[in-house]
Amino acid sequence: MTHPLHELMRDSLDHCVKCTICETYCPVAAATPLFPGPKYVGPQAERYRGGDANADASLDYCSSCGICTQVCPQGVKIAEINSQAKAELAQRRGVSLRDRLIARPTLAGWMGAPVWPVANWTTSFGPFRLLLEKVLRIHRKAPMPRWAGRTFQSRTRSRRKAPDPAAPQRKVVFFHGCAANFYEPGTASMAVQVLEHNGLEVIIPKQGCCGLPLQSNGQYDAARAYVRRLAAQLAPYARAGHDIVATSTSCGLMLKREAHEILGVDDDDLRVVSERMFDICEYLVMLDERGELKRDMQPVDMEVPYHAPCQQRGHGVGTPAMELMAMVPGLRASQVDAVCCGVAGTYGLKAEKYDIAMEVGRSLFDQVRASGAALSVCDSETCRWQIAAATDRPSVHPVEMLHRAYGLG
Amino acid sequence: MRRAVVIGAGLAGLVAGVRLAEGGMRVTMVAKGVGSLTLSPGVIDVLGYAPGRVDSPREALGAFVAERPDHPYARIGADALEEALAWFTDRVPQMRYRGDGPRNLLLPTAVGVPRPTALAPASMAGADLRGGGRFVVVGLSGLKDFFPRLLADNLARADLPSGAMVGARHAEITASPRPGRADVAGQVYARALDDPAFRGEFAAALRGLAEPGETILLPAVLGMARAGEVFDELQERVGAPIAEVPTVPPSVAGMRLNTELTGAFARAGGRVVLGVEAVGATGSDGRISEVLVRDAARTRALPADAVVLATGGFSAGGIALDSYGGLHEVVLDLPVAGPPAGVAPLSERHLDHQPLMASGVAVDGMLRPVGPGGEPVWDNLHAAGTIVAGAEPWREKSGEGIAIAGGFRAAGAILEET
């Protein structure tokens, strides 16, 4: 794990005063005695790392939710240091076939898409899931998305326009992420329609995976290759002055910050893309601040619980989804009092971690169920799948609520 | 709607934030991380030493500020302090703060030293040492960093008001949410005690430990979200008076207070953005119009009609020292009032007079940071908490009082300016 930025992250260790705030906020440490907490496996254990011998392997139970870094009052990059140490541990132990597979959403996506009815049948077929658990250690109850057939990319080929330096303001680039491409093209379409309703032209360039699941599963070299390729695809648009808008909060955060701070990617393509990258709710609230957001919303008479996922909090932009929903007449959104749903991307899929993930999310699920609402709202895909499966009701992206309010479908 | 930006999420920032939001402003609180309130013992110190131990802050305050014209209390005033404390305890009813009118309580610290404090949660107030008493300090064998024997020994030789006799012994119970572990953290016990099942086991272990007339002292881990219910039920089931003693961090009592106060802020419509750094401000005609905040991707401008700076002092990172000995206020580069020329910035013993640690921004009567001539740097910028120069809370036992009164006063000044 030797890159110059790694040293910068490690230097932040010197600011740790062992105050324990990260330990008391860590959702995993609260759920299981198997994880002793971010300070223990990070600022404390880091001094034992780097040689031939190894520090405590309980680090492997860190879910990489990033809450520790957000709550640290001293600016210690705890989550980043622990992610890097986890990758080192994974390399030392050898990366399992399971972790190679679940870290490549495009692989499963492309395998399932052409045969989507069969693929969907198998992943909901009990005996197959049992086999998957025995052979690959993917938990039989872990939430799995359903393939949507045609990918979002192939549905939107006509929008693969070139950058337009003459009118960058009116045109935004939409970064949809793998989940929308294979499983939730409907959410992506709603996002496009909401942006268009607000007078923006939407360009959807060819785009690949950001590499975040690879990073979470300790495969940094592959993750760097993925994110560099994606940054190269988006950079010409950023250079032409187009803003890039994302519905996937975790992939957006990867491009904003994590690829740089965790993977140590330090190139111009990534830099220009970072500066132009916006989460869609952040972007719409920014339009509103400028007086450019359409306020022609129809009443949506509903009560909805909203969960701000860990990765959304990592953007450091507050909770723009709540601000947007507050603009919709009749819509009563309330933020759930919980930090994490437990799934943390691929963590909760793993047989040995599924129960921990469910315990992490328990209070969140209880609150959603107790609300009696017909659906819940959350920005991140894997969190939505986890919450929907655990609460027996759909979980939707906030942009879907705006789509309803605008009367777009 | 007028907008306020509060920089810092500690006690002073939260108090200012709640009052501003309740006053009808749209408040955004930005902070590098969670405030150190979560580390505090949960009691409200107002004035404990001046420099001798203070029995009544109300009576002592006049002479105290007369001798220290640059102290934050001199700017705030005794009346505003009392008003602020009354307002504050109303905002956090679940903490059930108790005091003795104008007089300080005398409560044991984690190591059994008597601490003069103005208000304490009802669950702690029963350990008041002023009238003496008989105590059995009960340790939890799995809990890390709590030493019942040390506490009991120190209590027995504590410096108490004349006539107060204290008898203290120690005991230990093994009931644990994680049996077999010797390093269980306080919050793990507290969350487990919220659950009636473990609470029952815990109560059974305590029964019969106290002799008639003894009060049971326990580490402050008796419940997190349901602390009030846990305390009442334990006391009833055990059949003896119980009092919590604050622990070293992680401090469950501090977490309870932080949760209740951030909850009050959210209910009043305030929003918190954690994990970001305020890096500056822009403005004109003597007024800040935007606070600049570094988020995950860029520096964004938060519009502000008024700003509260509550970043904390030297130890919290609100004030920094460069390698030439220069002091800097880190967010807005305000003038810093540090140790006067010729005064040694630090003295040898940790808890002694430490002029460097008392450095901060000088303020006017509306708590606006001022320049060398006494004129406000920005008309709509106010400061509260340990970022304000002139106090030594670790010696005075004045930290919470200064934070609450300062946050309350700063918010009041902003709300009056309409």
Side-chain angles (χ1 to χ4, degrees):
Chain A
M1 218 47 57
T2 48
H3 58 73
L5 279 162
H6 176 55
E7 288 310 311
L8 269 181
M9 293 296 118
R10 285 199 75 179
D11 286 350
S12 75
L13 280 178
D14 291 345
H15 296 273
C16 177
V17 297
K18 309 288 184 283
C19 74
T20 70
I21 283 177
C22 62
E23 309 249 324
T24 60
Y25 277 80
C26 173
V28 179
T32 175
L34 295 172
F35 186 59
K39 171 175 75 81
Y40 187 97
V41 302
Q44 259 161 244
E46 185 65 15
R47 69 185 189 274
Y48 300 116
R49 298 198 182 106
D52 292 335
N54 211 339
D56 187 350
S58 58
L59 169 69
D60 180 53
Y61 282 97
C62 164
S63 76
S64 293
C65 70
I67 296 291
C68 44
T69 294
Q70 285 161 41
V71 299
C72 176
Q74 304 294 340
V76 183
K77 297 283 186 182
I78 313 164
E80 290 75 3
I81 290 163
N82 286 341
S83 176
Q84 290 166 349
K86 240 170 48 161
E88 207 165 298
L89 184 68
Q91 294 305 324
R92 210 179 275 262
R93 288 174 158 181
V95 180
S96 67
L97 176 62
R98 190 249 340 248
D99 289 1
R100 286 178 200 279
L101 287 176
I102 60 173
R104 289 172 170 79
T106 42
L107 188 67
W110 284 121
M111 275 165 53
V115 291
W116 60 277
V118 183
N120 285 336
W121 179 77
T122 48
T123 53
S124 55
F125 181 55
F128 176 75
R129 291 298 302 268
L130 206 58
L131 188 73
L132 212 55
E133 181 173 304
K134 292 280 177 238
V135 178
L136 278 182
R137 309 278 296 144
I138 294 172
H139 197 280
R140 62 185 185 279
K141 289 192 200 155
M144 290 230 173
R146 300 178 69 77
W147 280 268
R150 258 183 99 189
T151 63
F152 184 67
Q153 278 276 305
S154 82
R155 292 172 202 222
T156 55
R157 272 180 214 284
S158 61
R159 293 174 185 273
R160 273 189 200 171
K161 303 263 174 63
D164 181 4
Q169 300 300 321
R170 277 193 317 104
K171 300 181 184 178
V172 292
V173 169
F174 180 49
F175 167 51
H176 50 69
C178 301
N181 195 32
F182 296 109
Y183 312 112
E184 294 188 337
T187 304
S189 299
M190 288 185 219
V192 171
Q193 288 170 33
V194 165
L195 290 167
E196 284 180 342
H197 184 75
N198 282 289
L200 295 158
E201 193 179 313
V202 181
I203 304 173
I204 306 175
K206 193 168 160 51
Q207 50 189 281
C209 172
C210 70
L212 173 60
L214 286 161
Q215 174 189 290
S216 310
N217 285 283
Q219 299 152 66
Y220 276 20
D221 288 339
R224 287 189 193 107
Y226 273 58
V227 76
R228 282 208 175 97
R229 196 176 331 145
L230 174 61
Q233 287 168 326
L234 298 176
Y237 297 91
R239 290 203 178 93
H242 296 291
D243 289 331
I244 305 168
V245 179
T247 38
S248 174
T249 44
S250 52
C251 309
L253 189 63
M254 179 74 173
L255 287 167
K256 275 185 174 182
R257 186 169 74 83
E258 293 197 348
H260 180 65
E261 293 189 354
I262 296 179
L263 298 177
V265 175
D266 199 22
D267 65 33
D268 255 6
D269 282 352
L270 181 65
R271 213 166 358 255
V272 292
V273 169
S274 297
E275 281 162 11
R276 289 282 174 187
M277 177 62 63
F278 293 86
D279 185 70
I280 190 162
C281 293
E282 172 192 14
Y283 197 72
L284 294 171
V285 166
M286 195 179 74
L287 289 184
D288 188 59
E289 302 261 334
R290 298 205 295 244
E292 293 169 12
L293 186 79
K294 290 249 176 74
R295 291 293 202 113
D296 58 338
M297 294 136 178
Q298 306 300 310
V300 177
D301 187 20
M302 277 181 85
E303 218 157 291
V304 289
Y306 165 72
H307 172 57
C310 318
Q311 303 289 317
Q312 192 280 335
R313 292 165 198 242
H315 286 250
V317 298
T319 47
M322 286 294 287
E323 289 174 54
L324 291 171
M325 289 191 282
M327 296 173 195
V328 178
L331 184 60
R332 300 172 302 283
S334 56
Q335 194 172 343
V336 174
D337 180 20
V339 290
C340 183
C341 73
V343 80
T346 56
Y347 183 88
L349 309 183
K350 302 176 181 179
E352 74 279 14
K353 284 157 186 150
Y354 173 82
D355 289 337
I356 298 171
M358 292 303 286
E359 177 61 21
V360 167
R362 186 161 54 100
S363 155
L364 164 58
F365 308 147
D366 287 349
Q367 291 174 61
V368 169
R369 275 193 226 103
S371 75
L375 53 80
S376 66
V377 179
C378 177
D379 309 72
S380 273
E381 301 91 346
T382 54
C383 310
R384 286 201 293 277
W385 303 336
Q386 165 92 337
I387 297 167
T391 61
D392 294 319
R393 71 203 70 199
S395 184
V396 303
H397 191 284
V399 83
E400 188 165 335
M401 304 311 293
L402 275 191
H403 190 263
R404 281 190 199 201
Y406 281 140
L408 295 173
Chain B
M1 195 184 247
R2 289 173 78 219
R3 305 196 202 205
V5 172
V6 177
I7 308 170
L11 183 55
L14 282 167
V15 164
V18 172
R19 193 174 185 205
L20 289 170
E22 288 184 356
M25 288 188 79
R26 186 173 170 194
V27 188
T28 302
M29 181 176 292
V30 293
K32 210 165 157 183
V34 165
S36 56
L37 180 58
T38 55
L39 308 172
S40 82
V43 297
I44 305 299
D45 294 341
V46 170
L47 186 62
Y49 294 94
R53 192 157 72 200
V54 170
D55 291 329
S56 165
R58 188 186 288 170
E59 286 166 19
L61 207 61
F64 180 80
V65 297
E67 286 170 26
R68 297 168 185 78
D70 294 326
H71 194 277
Y73 278 149
R75 297 281 180 276
I76 294 163
D79 292 344
L81 170 64
E82 300 231 349
E83 189 191 352
L85 290 172
W87 175 92
F88 171 77
T89 50
D90 280 350
R91 295 301 173 287
V92 288
Q94 289 178 53
M95 291 299 291
R96 303 198 285 197
Y97 278 112
R98 302 281 184 274
D100 180 18
R103 321 204 75 81
N104 272 331
L105 309 171
L106 213 50
L107 300 181
T109 64
V111 291
V113 175
R115 170 198 193 110
T117 191
L119 298 166
S123 61
M124 291 182 182
D128 193 359
L129 301 167
R130 287 176 301 166
R134 290 171 53 225
F135 301 95
V136 52
V137 185
V138 179
L140 313 177
S141 57
L143 178 68
K144 61 178 172 186
D145 303 333
F146 185 81
F147 307 102
R149 182 170 183 175
L150 175 73
L151 211 161
D153 285 356
N154 279 343
L155 274 187
R157 63 196 184 100
D159 172 24
L160 297 174
S162 58
M165 298 293 289
V166 165
R169 62 187 183 93
H170 74 281
E172 194 165 77
I173 60 171
T174 55
S176 171
R178 291 183 178 172
R181 294 282 296 252
D183 59 349
V184 184
Q187 70 270 17
V188 178
Y189 274 93
R191 289 173 189 141
L193 281 164
D194 281 345
D195 180 353
F198 181 64
R199 202 185 304 162
E201 185 192 333
F202 195 85
L206 285 175
R207 212 168 297 133
L209 270 182
E211 288 163 11
E214 273 185 335
T215 294
I216 297 176
L217 298 186
L218 280 160
V221 300
L222 306 182
M224 186 71 84
R226 299 177 168 190
E229 174 191 320
V230 172
F231 179 76
D232 292 348
E233 196 184 312
L234 283 179
Q235 204 160 234
E236 192 191 313
R237 290 173 72 165
V238 173
I242 293 175
E244 289 187 302
V245 179
T247 63
V248 298
S251 170
V252 169
M255 285 180 246
R256 292 176 197 145
L257 174 55
N258 188 61
T259 301
E260 196 171 2
L261 210 48
T262 49
F265 182 57
R267 278 193 301 281
R271 51 179 208 150
V272 183
V273 186
L274 278 190
V276 296
E277 214 165 333
V279 292
T282 57
S284 56
D285 299 330
R287 295 183 73 81
I288 292 176
S289 56
E290 289 171 333
V291 173
L292 304 178
V293 174
R294 180 78 201 159
D295 67 25
R298 59 200 138 248
T299 301
R300 67 167 50 222
L302 295 178
D305 297 299
V307 179
V308 177
L309 183 71
T311 43
F314 195 85
S315 58
I319 301 288
L321 182 72
D322 67 29
S323 59
Y324 297 96
L327 288 161
H328 306 274
E329 186 283 309
V330 301
V331 179
L332 301 166
D333 201 21
L334 299 169
V336 175
V343 171
L346 295 170
S347 30
E348 269 177 29
R349 282 162 44 115
H350 190 65
L351 297 177
D352 280 354
H353 178 52
Q354 304 288 359
L356 182 65
M357 299 295 153
S359 55
V361 296
V363 294
D364 67 9
M366 287 162 76
L367 301 192
R368 292 179 300 190
V370 294
E375 72 296 342
V377 182
W378 298 97
D379 287 340
N380 59 346
L381 171 70
H382 304 258
T386 44
I387 187 69
V388 178
E392 293 183 293
W394 68 96
R395 302 182 79 209
E396 301 160 2
K397 291 280 155 225
S398 58
E400 287 81 17
I402 291 172
I404 292 168
F408 183 80
R409 178 76 192 98
I414 291 167
L415 292 172
E416 283 156 22
E417 195 208 25
T418 39

